[in-house]
Amino acid sequence: MPEEIAAPVTNNFLRTIIDEDLKSGKHAGIVTRFPPEPNGYLHIGHAKSICINFGLARDFGGRCHLRFDDTNPAKEEQEYIDSIKESVRWLGFDWGKHLYYASDNFDQLYQWAVYLIEQGKAYVEDLNAEQIRAYRGTLTEPGTESPFRSRPVAENSDLFRRMKDGEFPDGTRVLRAKIDMASPNMNLRDPVLYRIIHTPHPHVGDTWKIYPMYDFAHGQTDAIEGITHSICTLEFESHKPLYEWFLDNLPVPARPRQYEFARLNLTYTVMSKRKLQELVRLGIVSGWDDPRLPTLEGLRRRGYPSAAVRSFCEQIGVGRSDSWIDVSILEECVRTHLNETAPRAMAVLRPIKLVIDNYPVGQTEEFTAANHPQRPEMGSRSILFSREIWIDADDFMEVPSKGFHRLTIGGEVKLRSGYIVTCLSVVKDGDGEIIELHGEYDPASREGIHTADGRKVKGVIHWVSAENAVNAEVRLFDRLFSDPNPDRGGIDYKQFLNPDSVQILTDCRLEASLADAVDETRYQFERQGYFCLDPKDAGSGTLVFNRIVTLRDTWAAKK
RNA sequence: UGGGGCGUCGCCAAGCGGUAAGGCACCGGAUUUUGAUUCCGGCAUUCCCAGGUUCGAUCCCUGGCGCCCCAGCCA
């Protein structure tokens, strides 16, 4: 693999903070973490977080942990744990021996909850969820203290122990921190610390009947792991005072700091777990790895190189203002990477036969075609020329539109790596559908794009010999939605589904060398785009290609 | 309407009191057997608005305006 394209490293507020912390000696080294809850599959938004956390650790000589924030067994599954690990690896990051689970700290967390009770800073709540909500007040009105808030310490201790022992059913009691029911910050109005859940946990099984809430687990876990910079998204900002309250009131071994950045929003797609889930459940997409989805498994199956996803994450930067990134930036990163690395090949997606009448029946020739026009070290391959060849329907127009410089009747065109040919006639069936084209070639035109009389041929088209072409299915993917922001409120996002987000072409003719296409290799089908074998459906003699992304097409854009 | 945060080119984003980096997009032009690539050139007298402080402000102060987040026993 070629070396990673060095992305211009622009400064950002996190780098500035870390620089200062290191310079001032506040930290000798940095420790970050990527802390997904294993309740679903990762998507490109997570990739941003992964690149930030692992990238910062890499750039500043620190380390980054992979931590499963598994505090809610009702939503988590082993399948997600496995998928997440695989996706992080695919993205090219390595947590080494630093794989952790919040649930590994359940004993410690429980001890700390007991400690808070003993300090008179936590109490067992008997009010139900609905009552708790009512007592919490509103954004503009202070809450009301629960009648159980002044429960004696001994009673709290006893009740909490019995909650842990599984004596009470789900939802009957919770443990709450005693902070301030009148706080303008809702998170400080006696937040719930523990709830009762009698559901087996994917990592710790059925040892626990009570589970800590995110707020009671995250900061403490950061402290236990020695995280120096706990980086999360903006919506956790109002949790920071709580995060710090626990660090202040518990005998934690370290003092991590939380920093927030703006999460990634991408146009023409949806990112919320709920919507992604619905697309899968409704069968609108084929699964979590559908190549049109922004999931990491989807992008991977689509053929996006992980290096391109990484450079995308570098390029969009990290800030604190809400932003919408246009998907075209992601696509451009993919093109940039693939242009340099992908071997070229010729593939006719919508074949029409062109018969070269002045080329002898039965004769063939082998031409040499470079695998990459700018990189001779990538070698070359031989392609077969014969009397009958396939060309793309898009490259022929009986009545050419203005500016069209491909094949027309009476017009000439250069066959890439081959001869100049002229089309002389069209054969149609009764319905007026084109059956085949007839034409002639210029034997002296193997090299260059000039005719014998010195004219320069404007068009160059791809083609494949009918003699040895291989058949394949090619899937052309496009954006899943036709609106830049299908996720906007008020309207059902499914209204914006792009009806042509996938086109399956089953009768494609590819150059013979593609019969040996390799799984991990991305090819450029010249003049069309980048393609790779579908990792799921290709194999055992069946060729199925996915279009990763088209080539830039200023001609099509102009039309 | 309580609290917190954000507002620099079409989209991101540097800048942190000394006179607007970069990327993507876009527009020209050159090279090209991919209408691709590459290459050159252009692209914010101006930083949400209005006042103020200062020799000097995108950066400081005041007041507006706009957008986002918080009322899960989700994370």
Side-chain angles (χ1 to χ4, degrees), chain A residues 11 71 195 316 324 344 373 403 405-406 416 446 449 524 527 554:
Chain A
N11 200 27
T71 55
R195 71 288 215 199
I316 59 176
W324 281 87
R344 317 278 123 132
H405 53 236
R406 275 105 99 150
R416 170 121 250 233
R446 261 290 285 126
I449 51 167
Q524 184 194 94
R527 303 208 309 131
T554 50

CSV table of all heavy atoms in Angstrom, one decimal, chain A residues 11 71 195 316 324 344 373 403 405-406 416 446 449 524 527 554, chain B residues 2 6 11-12 15 33-37 71-75:
chain,number,residue,atom,x,y,z
A,11,ASN,N,-4.6,23.2,13.0
A,11,ASN,CA,-4.7,23.2,14.5
A,11,ASN,C,-6.2,23.1,14.8
A,11,ASN,O,-7.1,23.4,14.0
A,11,ASN,CB,-4.1,24.5,15.0
A,11,ASN,CG,-3.8,24.4,16.4
A,11,ASN,OD1,-3.5,23.3,17.0
A,11,ASN,ND2,-3.8,25.5,17.1
A,71,THR,N,-23.5,0.0,30.2
A,71,THR,CA,-24.2,0.1,31.5
A,71,THR,C,-25.7,-0.2,31.4
A,71,THR,O,-26.4,-0.1,32.4
A,71,THR,CB,-24.0,1.6,32.0
A,71,THR,OG1,-24.5,2.5,31.0
A,71,THR,CG2,-22.6,1.9,32.3
A,195,ARG,N,-30.4,2.0,38.6
A,195,ARG,CA,-31.7,1.5,38.4
A,195,ARG,C,-31.7,0.0,38.4
A,195,ARG,O,-30.6,-0.7,38.2
A,195,ARG,CB,-32.4,2.0,37.1
A,195,ARG,CG,-31.8,1.6,35.8
A,195,ARG,CD,-30.5,2.1,35.4
A,195,ARG,NE,-30.5,2.3,34.0
A,195,ARG,CZ,-29.4,2.3,33.2
A,195,ARG,NH1,-28.2,2.3,33.8
A,195,ARG,NH2,-29.5,2.5,31.9
A,316,ILE,N,-12.3,17.4,7.6
A,316,ILE,CA,-13.4,18.2,8.1
A,316,ILE,C,-13.1,18.9,9.4
A,316,ILE,O,-13.8,19.8,9.8
A,316,ILE,CB,-14.6,17.3,8.3
A,316,ILE,CG1,-14.3,16.2,9.3
A,316,ILE,CG2,-15.1,16.7,7.0
A,316,ILE,CD1,-15.5,15.3,9.7
A,324,TRP,N,-22.7,21.1,8.9
A,324,TRP,CA,-23.2,20.1,8.0
A,324,TRP,C,-22.1,19.9,6.9
A,324,TRP,O,-21.8,20.8,6.2
A,324,TRP,CB,-24.5,20.5,7.3
A,324,TRP,CG,-25.6,20.3,8.3
A,324,TRP,CD1,-26.1,21.1,9.2
A,324,TRP,CD2,-26.4,19.1,8.3
A,324,TRP,NE1,-27.1,20.5,9.9
A,324,TRP,CE2,-27.4,19.3,9.3
A,324,TRP,CE3,-26.4,17.9,7.6
A,324,TRP,CZ2,-28.3,18.3,9.7
A,324,TRP,CZ3,-27.4,16.9,7.9
A,324,TRP,CH2,-28.3,17.1,9.0
A,344,ARG,N,-6.4,0.4,-13.6
A,344,ARG,CA,-7.5,0.7,-14.5
A,344,ARG,C,-7.9,-0.6,-15.3
A,344,ARG,O,-7.1,-1.5,-15.4
A,344,ARG,CB,-7.0,1.7,-15.6
A,344,ARG,CG,-6.2,2.9,-15.0
A,344,ARG,CD,-7.1,4.0,-14.4
A,344,ARG,NE,-6.7,4.2,-13.0
A,344,ARG,CZ,-6.4,5.4,-12.5
A,344,ARG,NH1,-6.5,6.5,-13.2
A,344,ARG,NH2,-6.1,5.5,-11.2
A,373,PRO,N,-2.2,5.2,-16.0
A,373,PRO,CA,-1.5,6.2,-16.9
A,373,PRO,C,-0.4,7.0,-16.3
A,373,PRO,O,0.5,7.3,-17.1
A,373,PRO,CB,-2.7,7.1,-17.3
A,373,PRO,CG,-3.7,7.0,-16.3
A,373,PRO,CD,-3.6,5.6,-15.7
A,403,GLY,N,-22.2,19.2,-28.5
A,403,GLY,CA,-21.1,19.0,-27.7
A,403,GLY,C,-20.7,17.5,-27.4
A,403,GLY,O,-19.7,17.2,-26.8
A,405,HIS,N,-19.1,14.2,-28.1
A,405,HIS,CA,-18.0,13.8,-29.0
A,405,HIS,C,-17.6,12.4,-28.8
A,405,HIS,O,-16.4,12.0,-28.7
A,405,HIS,CB,-16.8,14.8,-29.0
A,405,HIS,CG,-16.3,15.1,-27.6
A,405,HIS,ND1,-16.1,16.4,-27.2
A,405,HIS,CD2,-15.8,14.3,-26.7
A,405,HIS,CE1,-15.6,16.4,-26.0
A,405,HIS,NE2,-15.4,15.2,-25.7
A,406,ARG,N,-18.6,11.5,-28.7
A,406,ARG,CA,-18.4,10.1,-28.7
A,406,ARG,C,-18.8,9.6,-30.1
A,406,ARG,O,-18.7,10.3,-31.1
A,406,ARG,CB,-19.2,9.4,-27.6
A,406,ARG,CG,-18.5,9.5,-26.3
A,406,ARG,CD,-19.1,10.5,-25.2
A,406,ARG,NE,-19.9,9.9,-24.3
A,406,ARG,CZ,-20.1,10.3,-23.0
A,406,ARG,NH1,-19.5,11.3,-22.5
A,406,ARG,NH2,-21.0,9.7,-22.3
A,416,ARG,N,-10.0,3.3,-26.7
A,416,ARG,CA,-8.9,3.4,-25.7
A,416,ARG,C,-7.9,2.2,-25.9
A,416,ARG,O,-8.3,1.1,-25.9
A,416,ARG,CB,-9.5,3.4,-24.3
A,416,ARG,CG,-8.5,3.3,-23.2
A,416,ARG,CD,-8.5,4.5,-22.3
A,416,ARG,NE,-7.3,5.3,-22.5
A,416,ARG,CZ,-6.5,5.6,-21.5
A,416,ARG,NH1,-6.8,5.3,-20.2
A,416,ARG,NH2,-5.4,6.3,-21.7
A,446,ARG,N,-3.2,2.8,-34.5
A,446,ARG,CA,-3.0,2.2,-33.2
A,446,ARG,C,-2.5,3.2,-32.1
A,446,ARG,O,-2.9,3.1,-31.0
A,446,ARG,CB,-2.0,1.0,-33.4
A,446,ARG,CG,-2.6,-0.3,-33.5
A,446,ARG,CD,-3.3,-0.8,-32.1
A,446,ARG,NE,-2.3,-1.2,-31.1
A,446,ARG,CZ,-2.2,-0.8,-29.9
A,446,ARG,NH1,-3.0,0.2,-29.5
A,446,ARG,NH2,-1.3,-1.2,-29.1
A,449,ILE,N,-4.1,9.8,-31.3
A,449,ILE,CA,-5.5,10.1,-31.6
A,449,ILE,C,-5.6,10.9,-32.9
A,449,ILE,O,-6.6,11.6,-33.1
A,449,ILE,CB,-6.2,10.9,-30.4
A,449,ILE,CG1,-5.3,12.1,-30.0
A,449,ILE,CG2,-6.4,10.0,-29.2
A,449,ILE,CD1,-6.1,13.1,-29.2
A,524,GLN,N,-10.4,1.0,-11.3
A,524,GLN,CA,-11.1,2.0,-12.0
A,524,GLN,C,-11.6,1.5,-13.3
A,524,GLN,O,-10.8,1.0,-14.1
A,524,GLN,CB,-10.2,3.2,-12.2
A,524,GLN,CG,-11.0,4.4,-12.9
A,524,GLN,CD,-10.1,5.5,-13.5
A,524,GLN,OE1,-9.8,5.4,-14.7
A,524,GLN,NE2,-9.7,6.4,-12.7
A,527,ARG,N,-13.2,5.8,-17.4
A,527,ARG,CA,-14.2,6.8,-17.8
A,527,ARG,C,-15.5,6.6,-17.0
A,527,ARG,O,-16.5,7.4,-17.2
A,527,ARG,CB,-14.6,6.7,-19.3
A,527,ARG,CG,-13.4,6.9,-20.2
A,527,ARG,CD,-13.8,7.4,-21.5
A,527,ARG,NE,-14.8,6.7,-22.1
A,527,ARG,CZ,-16.0,7.2,-22.6
A,527,ARG,NH1,-16.2,8.5,-22.6
A,527,ARG,NH2,-16.9,6.4,-23.1
A,554,THR,N,-17.4,16.4,-15.5
A,554,THR,CA,-17.8,17.8,-15.7
A,554,THR,C,-18.7,17.9,-17.0
A,554,THR,O,-19.4,18.8,-17.1
A,554,THR,CB,-16.5,18.6,-15.9
A,554,THR,OG1,-15.7,18.0,-16.9
A,554,THR,CG2,-15.8,18.9,-14.7
B,2,G,P,-35.1,33.5,30.9
B,2,G,OP1,-34.6,34.7,31.6
B,2,G,OP2,-34.5,33.1,29.6
B,2,G,O5',-34.9,32.2,31.9
B,2,G,C5',-35.1,32.4,33.3
B,2,G,C4',-34.4,31.3,34.0
B,2,G,O4',-35.1,30.0,33.7
B,2,G,C3',-33.0,31.0,33.5
B,2,G,O3',-32.0,31.8,34.1
B,2,G,C2',-32.8,29.5,33.8
B,2,G,O2',-32.5,29.3,35.2
B,2,G,C1',-34.2,29.0,33.4
B,2,G,N9,-34.3,28.6,32.0
B,2,G,C8,-34.9,29.3,31.0
B,2,G,N7,-34.8,28.7,29.8
B,2,G,C5,-34.0,27.6,30.1
B,2,G,C6,-33.6,26.6,29.2
B,2,G,O6,-33.8,26.5,28.0
B,2,G,N1,-32.9,25.6,29.8
B,2,G,C2,-32.6,25.6,31.2
B,2,G,N2,-31.9,24.6,31.6
B,2,G,N3,-33.0,26.5,32.0
B,2,G,C4,-33.7,27.5,31.4
B,6,C,P,-18.8,28.5,23.0
B,6,C,OP1,-17.3,28.2,22.9
B,6,C,OP2,-19.2,29.8,23.7
B,6,C,O5',-19.4,28.5,21.5
B,6,C,C5',-19.2,27.4,20.7
B,6,C,C4',-20.1,27.6,19.5
B,6,C,O4',-21.5,27.6,19.9
B,6,C,C3',-19.9,28.8,18.7
B,6,C,O3',-18.8,28.7,17.8
B,6,C,C2',-21.2,28.9,17.9
B,6,C,O2',-21.3,27.9,16.9
B,6,C,C1',-22.2,28.4,19.0
B,6,C,N1,-22.8,29.5,19.7
B,6,C,C2,-23.9,30.2,19.0
B,6,C,O2,-24.2,29.8,17.9
B,6,C,N3,-24.5,31.2,19.7
B,6,C,C4,-24.1,31.6,20.9
B,6,C,N4,-24.7,32.6,21.4
B,6,C,C5,-23.0,30.9,21.6
B,6,C,C6,-22.4,29.9,20.9
B,11,C,P,-22.7,28.2,3.5
B,11,C,OP1,-23.9,28.0,4.3
B,11,C,OP2,-21.6,29.2,4.0
B,11,C,O5',-22.0,26.8,3.3
B,11,C,C5',-22.8,25.6,3.2
B,11,C,C4',-21.8,24.5,3.4
B,11,C,O4',-20.9,24.4,2.3
B,11,C,C3',-21.0,24.5,4.6
B,11,C,O3',-21.7,24.1,5.8
B,11,C,C2',-19.8,23.6,4.3
B,11,C,O2',-20.2,22.2,4.4
B,11,C,C1',-19.6,23.9,2.8
B,11,C,N1,-18.6,25.0,2.7
B,11,C,C2,-17.3,24.6,2.6
B,11,C,O2,-17.0,23.4,2.8
B,11,C,N3,-16.3,25.5,2.4
B,11,C,C4,-16.6,26.8,2.3
B,11,C,N4,-15.6,27.7,2.1
B,11,C,C5,-18.0,27.2,2.4
B,11,C,C6,-18.9,26.3,2.5
B,12,C,P,-21.2,24.4,7.2
B,12,C,OP1,-22.3,24.0,8.1
B,12,C,OP2,-20.8,25.8,7.3
B,12,C,O5',-20.0,23.5,7.4
B,12,C,C5',-18.9,23.9,8.2
B,12,C,C4',-17.8,22.9,8.0
B,12,C,O4',-17.3,22.9,6.6
B,12,C,C3',-16.6,23.2,8.8
B,12,C,O3',-16.6,22.7,10.1
B,12,C,C2',-15.5,22.6,8.0
B,12,C,O2',-15.4,21.2,8.1
B,12,C,C1',-15.9,22.9,6.5
B,12,C,N1,-15.5,24.3,6.1
B,12,C,C2,-14.1,24.5,5.8
B,12,C,O2,-13.4,23.5,5.9
B,12,C,N3,-13.7,25.7,5.5
B,12,C,C4,-14.5,26.7,5.4
B,12,C,N4,-14.1,27.9,5.1
B,12,C,C5,-15.9,26.6,5.7
B,12,C,C6,-16.3,25.3,6.1
B,15,G,P,-5.9,28.4,15.7
B,15,G,OP1,-4.9,27.7,16.5
B,15,G,OP2,-7.3,28.2,16.1
B,15,G,O5',-5.6,29.9,15.6
B,15,G,C5',-4.5,30.3,14.8
B,15,G,C4',-4.8,31.7,14.2
B,15,G,O4',-6.0,31.6,13.5
B,15,G,C3',-5.1,32.7,15.3
B,15,G,O3',-3.8,33.3,15.6
B,15,G,C2',-6.0,33.7,14.6
B,15,G,O2',-5.4,34.8,14.1
B,15,G,C1',-6.6,32.9,13.5
B,15,G,N9,-8.1,32.7,13.5
B,15,G,C8,-8.8,31.8,14.2
B,15,G,N7,-10.1,31.9,14.0
B,15,G,C5,-10.2,33.0,13.1
B,15,G,C6,-11.3,33.7,12.6
B,15,G,O6,-12.5,33.4,12.7
B,15,G,N1,-11.0,34.8,11.8
B,15,G,C2,-9.7,35.2,11.6
B,15,G,N2,-9.6,36.3,10.9
B,15,G,N3,-8.6,34.6,12.1
B,15,G,C4,-9.0,33.5,12.9
B,33,U,P,-2.4,12.2,-25.7
B,33,U,OP1,-1.1,11.7,-25.9
B,33,U,OP2,-2.9,13.5,-26.3
B,33,U,O5',-3.5,11.1,-25.9
B,33,U,C5',-4.9,11.4,-26.1
B,33,U,C4',-5.7,10.2,-25.8
B,33,U,O4',-5.4,9.2,-26.7
B,33,U,C3',-5.4,9.7,-24.4
B,33,U,O3',-6.6,9.8,-23.7
B,33,U,C2',-5.0,8.2,-24.6
B,33,U,O2',-5.8,7.4,-23.8
B,33,U,C1',-5.4,8.0,-26.1
B,33,U,N1,-4.6,7.0,-26.8
B,33,U,C2,-5.2,5.7,-26.8
B,33,U,O2,-6.2,5.4,-26.3
B,33,U,N3,-4.4,4.8,-27.5
B,33,U,C4,-3.3,5.0,-28.2
B,33,U,O4,-2.7,4.1,-28.8
B,33,U,C5,-2.7,6.4,-28.0
B,33,U,C6,-3.4,7.3,-27.4
B,34,U,P,-6.9,10.6,-22.4
B,34,U,OP1,-7.5,11.9,-22.9
B,34,U,OP2,-5.7,10.6,-21.6
B,34,U,O5',-8.0,9.7,-21.7
B,34,U,C5',-9.0,9.1,-22.5
B,34,U,C4',-10.1,8.7,-21.6
B,34,U,O4',-9.7,7.8,-20.6
B,34,U,C3',-10.7,10.0,-20.9
B,34,U,O3',-12.1,9.9,-21.2
B,34,U,C2',-10.5,9.8,-19.4
B,34,U,O2',-11.7,9.9,-18.7
B,34,U,C1',-10.1,8.3,-19.3
B,34,U,N1,-9.1,8.0,-18.3
B,34,U,C2,-9.5,7.2,-17.2
B,34,U,O2,-10.7,6.9,-17.1
B,34,U,N3,-8.5,6.9,-16.4
B,34,U,C4,-7.2,7.2,-16.4
B,34,U,O4,-6.5,6.8,-15.5
B,34,U,C5,-6.8,8.0,-17.6
B,34,U,C6,-7.7,8.3,-18.4
B,35,G,P,-12.8,11.1,-21.7
B,35,G,OP1,-14.2,10.7,-21.5
B,35,G,OP2,-12.4,11.4,-23.1
B,35,G,O5',-12.5,12.3,-20.7
B,35,G,C5',-11.9,13.4,-20.7
B,35,G,C4',-12.8,14.6,-20.5
B,35,G,O4',-13.8,14.4,-21.6
B,35,G,C3',-13.5,14.5,-19.2
B,35,G,O3',-13.1,15.7,-18.5
B,35,G,C2',-15.0,14.6,-19.5
B,35,G,O2',-15.6,15.8,-19.0
B,35,G,C1',-15.1,14.8,-21.0
B,35,G,N9,-16.1,14.2,-21.8
B,35,G,C8,-16.6,12.9,-21.8
B,35,G,N7,-17.6,12.8,-22.7
B,35,G,C5,-17.7,14.0,-23.3
B,35,G,C6,-18.6,14.4,-24.4
B,35,G,O6,-19.4,13.8,-25.0
B,35,G,N1,-18.4,15.8,-24.7
B,35,G,C2,-17.4,16.6,-24.1
B,35,G,N2,-17.4,17.8,-24.5
B,35,G,N3,-16.6,16.2,-23.1
B,35,G,C4,-16.8,14.9,-22.8
B,36,A,P,-12.3,16.0,-17.4
B,36,A,OP1,-13.1,16.9,-16.5
B,36,A,OP2,-11.1,16.5,-18.0
B,36,A,O5',-12.0,14.6,-16.6
B,36,A,C5',-12.9,14.1,-15.7
B,36,A,C4',-12.2,13.0,-15.0
B,36,A,O4',-11.7,12.0,-15.9
B,36,A,C3',-11.0,13.4,-14.2
B,36,A,O3',-11.3,13.9,-12.9
B,36,A,C2',-10.3,12.0,-14.0
B,36,A,O2',-10.9,11.2,-13.1
B,36,A,C1',-10.5,11.4,-15.4
B,36,A,N9,-9.4,11.8,-16.3
B,36,A,C8,-9.4,12.7,-17.4
B,36,A,N7,-8.3,12.8,-18.0
B,36,A,C5,-7.4,12.0,-17.2
B,36,A,C6,-6.1,11.7,-17.4
B,36,A,N6,-5.3,12.3,-18.3
B,36,A,N1,-5.5,10.8,-16.5
B,36,A,C2,-6.3,10.3,-15.6
B,36,A,N3,-7.6,10.5,-15.4
B,36,A,C4,-8.1,11.4,-16.2
B,37,U,P,-10.5,15.1,-12.3
B,37,U,OP1,-10.9,15.2,-10.9
B,37,U,OP2,-10.4,16.3,-13.2
B,37,U,O5',-9.0,14.5,-12.3
B,37,U,C5',-8.7,13.4,-11.4
B,37,U,C4',-7.3,13.0,-11.6
B,37,U,O4',-7.1,12.6,-13.0
B,37,U,C3',-6.2,14.1,-11.5
B,37,U,O3',-5.9,14.2,-10.1
B,37,U,C2',-5.1,13.5,-12.3
B,37,U,O2',-4.4,12.5,-11.6
B,37,U,C1',-5.8,12.9,-13.5
B,37,U,N1,-5.9,13.9,-14.6
B,37,U,C2,-4.8,14.1,-15.3
B,37,U,O2,-3.7,13.5,-15.1
B,37,U,N3,-4.9,15.0,-16.4
B,37,U,C4,-6.0,15.7,-16.7
B,37,U,O4,-6.0,16.4,-17.7
B,37,U,C5,-7.2,15.4,-15.9
B,37,U,C6,-7.1,14.5,-14.9
B,71,A,P,-33.5,16.0,28.6
B,71,A,OP1,-33.3,14.6,28.9
B,71,A,OP2,-34.1,16.5,27.3
B,71,A,O5',-34.5,16.7,29.7
B,71,A,C5',-34.2,16.4,31.1
B,71,A,C4',-35.4,16.8,31.9
B,71,A,O4',-35.7,18.2,31.8
B,71,A,C3',-36.7,16.1,31.4
B,71,A,O3',-36.8,14.8,32.0
B,71,A,C2',-37.8,17.0,32.0
B,71,A,O2',-38.0,16.8,33.4
B,71,A,C1',-37.1,18.4,31.8
B,71,A,N9,-37.5,19.0,30.5
B,71,A,C8,-36.8,19.0,29.4
B,71,A,N7,-37.4,19.7,28.4
B,71,A,C5,-38.5,20.2,29.0
B,71,A,C6,-39.5,21.0,28.5
B,71,A,N6,-39.6,21.5,27.2
B,71,A,N1,-40.5,21.4,29.3
B,71,A,C2,-40.5,20.9,30.6
B,71,A,N3,-39.5,20.1,31.2
B,71,A,C4,-38.6,19.8,30.3
B,72,G,P,-37.7,13.7,31.2
B,72,G,OP1,-38.4,14.3,30.1
B,72,G,OP2,-38.3,12.9,32.2
B,72,G,O5',-36.5,12.8,30.5
B,72,G,C5',-35.5,12.3,31.4
B,72,G,C4',-35.6,10.8,31.4
B,72,G,O4',-35.6,10.3,30.1
B,72,G,C3',-34.5,10.1,32.2
B,72,G,O3',-35.0,9.2,33.1
B,72,G,C2',-33.8,9.4,31.1
B,72,G,O2',-33.3,8.1,31.5
B,72,G,C1',-34.9,9.1,30.1
B,72,G,N9,-34.5,8.8,28.7
B,72,G,C8,-34.5,7.5,28.2
B,72,G,N7,-34.2,7.6,26.9
B,72,G,C5,-34.0,8.9,26.6
B,72,G,C6,-33.6,9.5,25.5
B,72,G,O6,-33.4,9.0,24.3
B,72,G,N1,-33.5,10.9,25.6
B,72,G,C2,-33.8,11.6,26.8
B,72,G,N2,-33.6,12.9,26.7
B,72,G,N3,-34.1,11.0,27.9
B,72,G,C4,-34.2,9.7,27.8
B,73,C,P,-35.2,9.5,34.6
B,73,C,OP1,-36.6,9.6,34.9
B,73,C,OP2,-34.2,10.4,35.0
B,73,C,O5',-34.7,8.0,35.1
B,73,C,C5',-33.4,7.5,34.8
B,73,C,C4',-33.5,6.0,34.9
B,73,C,O4',-34.2,5.6,36.0
B,73,C,C3',-34.2,5.4,33.7
B,73,C,O3',-33.3,4.5,33.1
B,73,C,C2',-35.5,4.7,34.2
B,73,C,O2',-35.6,3.4,33.7
B,73,C,C1',-35.1,4.6,35.7
B,73,C,N1,-36.2,4.6,36.7
B,73,C,C2,-36.7,3.4,37.1
B,73,C,O2,-36.1,2.4,36.7
B,73,C,N3,-37.7,3.4,38.0
B,73,C,C4,-38.2,4.5,38.5
B,73,C,N4,-39.1,4.4,39.4
B,73,C,C5,-37.8,5.8,38.0
B,73,C,C6,-36.8,5.8,37.1
B,74,C,P,-33.4,4.0,31.6
B,74,C,OP1,-34.7,3.7,31.2
B,74,C,OP2,-32.3,3.0,31.6
B,74,C,O5',-32.9,5.3,30.8
B,74,C,C5',-31.5,5.6,30.7
B,74,C,C4',-31.0,5.1,29.3
B,74,C,O4',-31.7,5.9,28.3
B,74,C,C3',-29.6,5.4,29.0
B,74,C,O3',-28.8,4.3,29.6
B,74,C,C2',-29.6,5.4,27.5
B,74,C,O2',-29.7,4.1,27.0
B,74,C,C1',-30.9,6.1,27.2
B,74,C,N1,-30.8,7.5,27.0
B,74,C,C2,-30.4,8.0,25.7
B,74,C,O2,-30.2,7.1,24.9
B,74,C,N3,-30.3,9.3,25.5
B,74,C,C4,-30.5,10.2,26.5
B,74,C,N4,-30.4,11.5,26.2
B,74,C,C5,-30.9,9.8,27.8
B,74,C,C6,-31.0,8.4,28.0
B,75,A,P,-27.4,4.6,30.3
B,75,A,OP1,-27.0,3.3,30.9
B,75,A,OP2,-27.6,5.8,31.2
B,75,A,O5',-26.5,5.0,29.1
B,75,A,C5',-26.1,4.0,28.1
B,75,A,C4',-25.5,4.8,27.0
B,75,A,O4',-26.5,5.7,26.4
B,75,A,C3',-24.3,5.7,27.3
B,75,A,O3',-23.1,4.9,27.3
B,75,A,C2',-24.4,6.7,26.2
B,75,A,O2',-23.8,6.3,25.0
B,75,A,C1',-25.9,6.9,26.0
B,75,A,N9,-26.4,8.0,26.9
B,75,A,C8,-26.8,8.0,28.2
B,75,A,N7,-27.2,9.2,28.6
B,75,A,C5,-27.1,10.0,27.5
B,75,A,C6,-27.4,11.4,27.3
B,75,A,N6,-27.9,12.2,28.3
B,75,A,N1,-27.2,11.9,26.1
B,75,A,C2,-26.7,11.1,25.2
B,75,A,N3,-26.4,9.8,25.2
B,75,A,C4,-26.6,9.3,26.4
